[in-house]
Amino acid sequence: MRDVLAAMMPGWLQGGTAGLATVVRTFRSAPRPPGAAMLVTATGEVFGSVSGGCVEGAVYELATQVRADHRPVLVSYGVSDDDAFSVGLTCGGTIEVFVEPISQQTFGELDRVREDIETSRPVGVATVIEHPDPGWLGRHLVVRPGGFEGGLGSVRADRAVGDDTQGLLAAGRNSVLTYGPDGERLDTGMSVFFASYAPRPRMLVFGAIDFAAALARLGTFLGYQVTVCDARAVFATQARFPDAAEVVRAWPHHYLSEQLARGLLDERTVICVLTHDPKFDVPVLEAALRGRPVAYIGAMGSRRTHNDRMERLRAAGLSDEQLLKLHSPVGLDLGARTPEETAVSIGAEIIALQWGGSGEPLGSRAERIHHDEMPGRATDTAAPAPQTDP
């Protein structure tokens, strides 16, 4: 919904009704992830996409119908359905799409959700997509850290879903949860799609060098809020890093320790140490490896630099278990040479870790292309890229 929210609000504020189609489940090589949305406004305009073009025509017709009759519906498009071939879902996957009418009557909390999203306050929306009582379909529960508003149909269901989605909200994940018709856990009958609109994950880049500038561009492109930090004021300038959300002039380990102490890093945070200078990278890596779990910790350097760094970290008292969290030399083996190529190498390793990718060429593998969602773990390992000191 985030991508179509700006287009949705004018009609909502004027009292109109739009049709919102949201991908809630995907199987195999589905073209768009859960949460992808397409909006048909009250005037028939279309915004967003649920399939990258495969089934847009069919979904448009359905959203137009739902907008008119106010009856939410859950539909499936896949290679096993005759309809899938007729509408063009040839990618080999299956998607389930929930289509609902959106108006002030059906979603009165939408304007407050918009305010949360625009101000980067964590918020999520739970929507009933399956239920034996059609009157429950399309009801919403707005979830915030420690609380919720709205209603799904019963106090029991609200409490169960409100509690169970706190972890999803903290992790910034979308998911379908299953309950009994009244919110009973370990039962079936009701399915709820939870869409998380948590703030962008953070990428901390230590070392104000040309490789950092390229990584800041790529990190921003991938959806991270990028911070570049370096103690050298002459290098740490916003002009050198226009793509970074912020440039900090401070000793890296001081800044990182302060961020950890304030609880500003979470399990989605990515830390990249590009200084390959012991007086900078050993203290900041020590703080990172001792700190709370994050998605990724990587450090640039040659094999010689890596070996020297590992000895220094062991001498500082870090255990082998803690050192397993470190990805060094940073990145996948792409044969990268330029800063931009190296940034792609680092980004590729982060993506592979997040989604469970192997880093191998897709053409050499027989498995399906898209992986099930799985959170990245800082203790996972991947093939390092050979690097040399400048």
Side-chain angles (χ1 to χ4, degrees), residues 172-260:
R173 295 178 57 196
N174 301 337
S175 184
V176 173
L177 305 178
T178 302
Y179 301 87
D182 195 38
E184 304 93 332
R185 293 184 174 90
L186 303 179
D187 201 351
T188 60
M190 176 174 71
S191 295
V192 176
F193 176 68
F194 182 73
S196 174
Y197 304 103
R200 289 185 300 162
R202 297 187 66 189
M203 173 183 284
L204 306 184
V205 182
F206 295 103
I209 62 176
D210 50 357
F211 288 87
L215 185 57
R217 287 196 296 274
L218 182 67
T220 300
F221 175 75
L222 292 176
Y224 288 94
Q225 178 177 312
V226 180
T227 297
V228 176
C229 175
D230 198 302
R232 301 166 296 181
V234 66
F235 295 114
T237 66
Q238 195 68 53
R240 295 189 68 229
F241 301 96
D243 298 287
E246 62 175 347
V247 179
V248 176
R249 300 178 188 90
W251 278 84
H253 65 290
H254 289 164
Y255 175 74
L256 181 60
S257 297
E258 179 259 342
Q259 296 290 291
L260 287 166

Side-chain angles (χ1 to χ4, degrees), residues 22-385:
T22 305
V23 177
V24 295
R25 292 189 183 100
T26 64
F27 307 92
R28 299 187 299 277
S29 298
R32 298 296 307 279
M38 186 176 81
L39 177 75
V40 178
T41 69
T43 58
E45 293 181 279
V46 180
F47 297 88
S49 170
V50 295
S51 69
C54 297
V55 301
E56 309 304 313
V59 174
Y60 172 82
E61 296 296 332
L62 187 56
T64 301
Q65 173 188 319
V66 168
R67 185 191 64 191
D69 63 22
H70 293 263
R71 296 178 181 174
V73 61
L74 179 67
V75 294
S76 177
Y77 299 102
V79 294
S80 61
D81 303 322
D82 291 338
D83 188 43
F85 289 104
S86 67
V87 299
L89 189 62
T90 58
C91 63
T94 300
I95 61 173
E96 288 188 357
V97 180
F98 184 68
V99 188
E100 59 182 312
I102 296 292
S103 67
Q104 294 183 20
Q105 290 69 43
T106 65
F107 198 175
E109 304 83 10
L110 181 61
D111 197 34
R112 291 187 293 278
V113 171
R114 175 195 59 80
E115 292 178 357
D116 288 334
I117 293 174
E118 290 182 352
T119 56
S120 296
R121 294 194 298 262
V123 64
V125 178
T127 305
V128 178
I129 61 172
E130 290 181 297
H131 200 280
D133 181 353
W136 284 53
L137 294 177
R139 294 186 179 181
H140 305 99
L141 191 73
V142 178
V143 180
R144 298 182 177 88
F148 53 84
E149 67 170 316
L152 302 179
S154 75
V155 173
R156 179 176 183 172
D158 293 347
R159 288 176 176 172
V161 174
D163 290 343
D164 293 349
T165 53
Q166 288 293 329
L168 294 172
L169 178 61
R173 295 178 57 196
N174 301 337
S175 184
V176 173
L177 305 178
T178 302
Y179 301 87
D182 195 38
E184 304 93 332
R185 293 184 174 90
L186 303 179
D187 201 351
T188 60
M190 176 174 71
S191 295
V192 176
F193 176 68
F194 182 73
S196 174
Y197 304 103
R200 289 185 300 162
R202 297 187 66 189
M203 173 183 284
L204 306 184
V205 182
F206 295 103
I209 62 176
D210 50 357
F211 288 87
L215 185 57
R217 287 196 296 274
L218 182 67
T220 300
F221 175 75
L222 292 176
Y224 288 94
Q225 178 177 312
V226 180
T227 297
V228 176
C229 175
D230 198 302
R232 301 166 296 181
V234 66
F235 295 114
T237 66
Q238 195 68 53
R240 295 189 68 229
F241 301 96
D243 298 287
E246 62 175 347
V247 179
V248 176
R249 300 178 188 90
W251 278 84
H253 65 290
H254 289 164
Y255 175 74
L256 181 60
S257 297
E258 179 259 342
Q259 296 290 291
L260 287 166
R262 293 173 59 190
L264 298 178
L265 309 185
D266 59 29
E267 294 181 355
R268 302 176 301 151
T269 301
V270 167
I271 297 173
C272 298
V273 179
L274 309 184
T275 50
H276 50 81
D277 182 334
K279 68 176 178 290
F280 289 112
D281 59 16
V282 171
V284 73
L285 286 172
E286 182 180 356
L289 295 170
R290 293 187 189 277
R292 64 161 298 167
V294 295
Y296 178 88
I297 303 171
M300 174 181 279
S302 66
R303 299 290 182 190
R304 184 181 67 249
T305 298
H306 166 75
N307 292 334
D308 176 72
R309 179 191 296 133
M310 294 295 281
E311 290 303 316
R312 291 174 183 269
L313 290 170
R314 288 191 180 95
L318 273 78
S319 67
D320 289 340
E321 182 179 0
Q322 290 171 321
L323 292 175
L324 283 175
K325 302 176 185 178
L326 178 60
H327 295 258
S328 173
V330 69
L332 296 186
D333 182 9
L334 305 183
R337 292 293 183 270
T338 68
E340 291 75 18
E341 291 171 348
T342 302
V344 171
S345 168
I346 297 170
E349 184 175 44
I350 292 170
I351 293 169
L353 177 64
Q354 177 182 6
W355 298 104
S358 68
E360 300 176 25
L362 289 172
S364 68
R365 298 177 59 83
E367 293 84 352
R368 61 191 179 90
I369 294 174
H370 292 88
H371 290 247
D372 292 329
E373 182 176 355
M374 57 177 66
R377 296 175 297 167
T379 55
D380 289 347
T381 58

